[in-house]
Amino acid sequence: MLTSSRRLSRRSTLKLIGGGAAAGALIRGFPAPAIAQGAPIRVGFMLPYSGTYASLGKNIDQAFRQLVAEHGDKLGGRPVEYVTVDDEAAPPKAPDNMTKLVSRDKVDVVVGTVHSGVQMAMVKIARENNTLMIIPNAGADAATRAMCAPGIFRTSFSNWQPCFPMGKVMADAGHKKVVSITWKYAAGEEMIAAFKEGFVKAGGSVEAELLVPFPEVEFQSYLTQIAEKKPDAVFTFFAGGGAVKFVKDYHAAGLRKSIPLYGAGFLTDGTLQAQGEAAEGIQTTLHYADDLDVAADKTFRAAYQKRYNAEPDVYSVQGYDAAALLAVGLDAAKGDTGARDTIVKAMQAAKINSPRGPISFSPAHNIVQNIYLREVRKGKNAFVRIAHEALADPATGCRLA
Ligand code: BEZ
């Protein structure tokens, strides 16, 4: 049954237009198909615009809009209209927020989100509704493993990707016994597990795994435990406001000199201005750095700086690439959102010169990318070396291929 003009594929639209008087009456009886009107593509942003991850959501949103502006404010030849929802990084609110976007606002594509717990609720609903969804941050491994789906793509990372290579980096630096500390939720636990996999493989051992309730930032009692245990080093995942507070508290506790601090790169990305001196010298692994020798990055950074009067960070890059990937799909389908197979095939085969370097997509629709070792120098995440080239997530349990 024809229930929505947006559901009408380009092929069926053309058939109706060319189908004589009966088809003409049918078109007169229903709203004219969106594509025939050059109606806007409806992009639903489900992102945190408040709370500890607010700056992450804002940067994803801004850079997505930047790429669309660079494409003449169009995707697949059609103008773009945005519907935004503040998900507050709150998993209990996620099903309602996602259902509103998909069923009430009838967006053509959902772009979201940041928090892994919120993401898993979105994945469930996207699978039930066959929604086209691009994940611009949340690393929840299952989204492109057991819960993968034809319409779900990720332009950020799986939680495994930035952390697994750090195991070897820290073992090569001579560390044998470490303590880990993170927030107790999917992202933190999966990142620590990935780091541990790499570290144990390289001969190290994780002596204690400290877990802080999300989004708490009272770290004193945990820092006391770290000081008592005297590990060779600490590995951590915190991001946004929590990362700022943790790095400052670690420094203020006087631990930096005796127990080196390492992390997934979120620890120092988009946070350095607020962390100041406390972050200097911290080494992290991530799929971006502030001074990459990548032509696309120089253009991207200059345009972002001009447009927003701010430095971009890894979250901006992920939002920019979400729009770039969607542009590939919609260009292939000439703006016809009903041509889902064409869109998905083109996105799966996309090879993009991202600001972070070359990216492509695995059969599970997760990004394949370089992971860089960085060190904070003079307030920048300086490139040290490639820790792992073109790293793909294992995609365990995904049956798309
Ligand atoms: C996550 O919840 O997946 C996440 C949040 C912030 C930074 C990185 C990952």
Side-chain angles (χ1 to χ4, degrees), residues 53 56 114-117 137-140 157 159 185-188 191 237-240 266 315:
Y53 287 161
L56 287 59
V114 166
H115 182 288
S116 277
N137 184 72
F157 55 90
N159 286 327
Y185 84 99
M191 289 199 208
F237 161 72
F238 289 107
F266 313 103
Y315 310 104

